[in-house]
Amino acid sequence: MSSTGFVPPPYPYDRLDEIVAIAKQHEGGAVDLSIGTPCDPPPPEVLAALTAGDTARGYPASIGSLAFRQAAAGWIERRLGATVDPVTELAAVVGTKEFVASTPQYLKLRDPSKDTVLYPAISYPTYEMGATLAGCRAVPYETLDEISGDDASRALCVWVNSPGNPTGELHDLAAAAAWGRARGIPVLSDECYAEFTWSGGPTTILREGSQGVLAVHSLSKRDNFAGARIGFFAGDAELVHYLREVRKHAGLMPPGPVQAAAIVALGDDAHVDVQRERYLRRLVRLREILVSLGYPCELPAGAFYLWVPVAGGDAWAAARDLAERIGIVVSPGDFYGARSAGYLRVAAVQPDDRIELAASRITA
């Protein structure tokens, strides 16, 4: 039976099967640097907290326990230099990807007169998909100043991402907050890589105050806790209240044991400092490897990806070349928007010994 309705496109990383198969032919198998999934262990205290107490028995609070929200607010103040009220300006999410994908549909219900989601032209693909799933127009932009008056007047929200995935660029969050406030457009600031800022220190849009903005944060990258699916959003009290209430009805509840473990993770900065050193060391080493293979690139200002321009612009051919020569799997740039088709994204998410395995194949 045929359908003229929505047909989900192939999931980006499912398109890598051919390249994975090529890389697997090397002794020792493929070294997967495509998906930004952590490979290092969470702190043992965090894992222990998953089984401590009795947080699994009852239904967890959809908005997050008060203790979780206080821990998140304390982290924002301690590490990012901003203040939010954990009672009225912060709520938990079941991993930030679901928040990115689902929020446009909730904003559309709130204001049916608007139909547009603005998002960076080179970016995490879920910004665009969230708009599509909401039945909205997904409109990419290179700079906020290039957004037309018509698109701005129709906008439910504008996404910003700093440090950015996949480029690692840092953006002017103060300017983004001012742009959104001047037009009455909520600014949703994805700050999941804030702790991994190499050029300057971590920051947040919340330094500009909470009016009209939401900051979105995840424990996936900071704490190597991606499998636990926990994060939070914080900012404008009215918007936080609306999203908290609608998300309750949707049954979006981070598991109680995960919230308990997240409290421990958010209270400990030492393991994050260790992780920062790991990622920076791996980025430097991966850049050396790529340069030696004829793929010059620069270290990013933030996040844990190398954004590699491809001579001639054929990123898929370059990805196959790297799989054939040293058995690594990387992401072609078109995963992150049509304007990035001539690039590769290389994630520093394999242990040092796996990266050295790939390096050893250069001379083999």
Side-chain angles (χ1 to χ4, degrees):
M1 180 194 250
S2 63
S3 171
T4 57
F6 175 63
V7 177
Y11 192 66
Y13 298 104
D14 291 345
R15 297 168 59 197
L16 289 173
D17 289 351
E18 175 200 353
I19 290 170
V20 171
I22 294 170
K24 281 183 175 179
Q25 294 177 18
H26 287 266
E27 184 177 352
V31 178
D32 194 341
L33 306 173
S34 60
I35 301 175
T37 186
C39 68
D40 302 298
E45 298 82 5
V46 174
L47 296 179
L50 286 168
T51 57
D54 190 25
T55 52
R57 185 183 304 272
Y59 289 111
S62 172
I63 66 173
S65 69
L66 179 58
F68 170 78
R69 287 178 281 134
Q70 288 172 331
W75 173 78
I76 289 172
E77 183 170 11
R78 186 176 72 250
R79 296 290 271 191
L80 306 185
T83 301
V84 294
D85 184 341
V87 176
T88 61
E89 295 183 326
L90 192 147
V93 297
V94 191
T96 51
K97 182 165 187 168
E98 64 84 357
F99 182 86
V100 173
S102 65
T103 295
Q105 63 185 283
Y106 302 142
L107 295 180
K108 185 75 168 63
L109 291 171
R110 184 175 183 240
D111 187 355
S113 70
K114 305 292 179 66
D115 68 352
T116 297
V117 173
L118 306 169
Y119 69 99
I122 300 175
S123 63
Y124 182 49
T126 309
Y127 305 134
E128 179 182 10
M129 182 53 68
T132 300
L133 294 175
C136 291
R137 299 167 67 235
V139 176
Y141 67 87
E142 289 195 6
T143 67
L144 292 171
D145 290 338
E146 79 170 23
I147 296 170
S148 71
D150 178 62
D151 286 336
S153 70
R154 298 170 65 176
L156 288 163
C157 62
V158 56
W159 283 104
V160 295
N161 178 210
S162 183
N165 172 14
T167 64
E169 288 181 281
L170 304 181
H171 300 284
D172 188 341
L173 296 179
W179 187 92
R181 287 169 181 159
R183 294 160 179 80
I185 302 171
V187 181
L188 309 187
S189 181
D190 183 348
E191 301 169 1
C192 292
Y193 298 94
E195 292 269 25
F196 305 118
T197 302
W198 315 118
S199 178
T203 190
T204 175
I205 200 168
L206 297 169
R207 286 189 180 184
E208 306 307 310
S210 61
Q211 179 190 355
V213 304
L214 290 181
V216 184
H217 285 278
S218 170
L219 278 72
S220 295
K221 317 299 186 185
R222 176 190 187 271
D223 304 291
N224 300 323
F225 214 37
R229 311 312 303 137
I230 184 72
F232 57 89
F233 61 99
D236 187 282
E238 181 181 351
L239 192 52
V240 168
H241 175 74
Y242 169 76
L243 289 173
R244 278 164 43 151
E245 293 306 305
V246 74
R247 289 170 58 82
K248 289 178 185 177
H249 288 284
L252 293 164
M253 299 179 287
V258 171
Q259 292 191 41
I263 293 167
V264 177
L266 288 166
D268 175 27
D269 299 328
H271 75 278
V272 184
D273 294 334
V274 171
Q275 191 63 46
R276 280 176 52 84
E277 293 304 315
R278 286 185 184 129
Y279 279 137
L280 186 56
R281 180 177 69 247
R282 290 170 186 160
L283 285 167
V284 170
R285 183 65 178 123
L286 285 168
R287 179 177 178 271
E288 292 172 349
I289 293 168
L290 289 166
V291 169
S292 74
L293 293 169
Y295 291 92
C297 56
E298 300 299 323
L299 291 173
F304 48 65
Y305 307 107
L306 294 175
W307 190 234
V308 185
V310 175
D314 189 341
W316 283 91
R320 292 185 192 94
D321 176 58
L322 290 170
E324 291 169 354
R325 292 168 72 185
I326 62 169
I328 63 173
V329 181
V330 302
S331 296
D334 64 1
F335 287 6
Y336 313 101
R339 302 187 200 187
S340 55
Y343 289 80
L344 298 172
R345 194 193 76 169
V346 182
V349 293
Q350 286 289 322
D352 294 357
D353 63 330
R354 296 293 294 172
I355 292 173
E356 291 308 319
L357 172 63
S360 72
R361 295 165 177 166
I362 295 173
T363 56

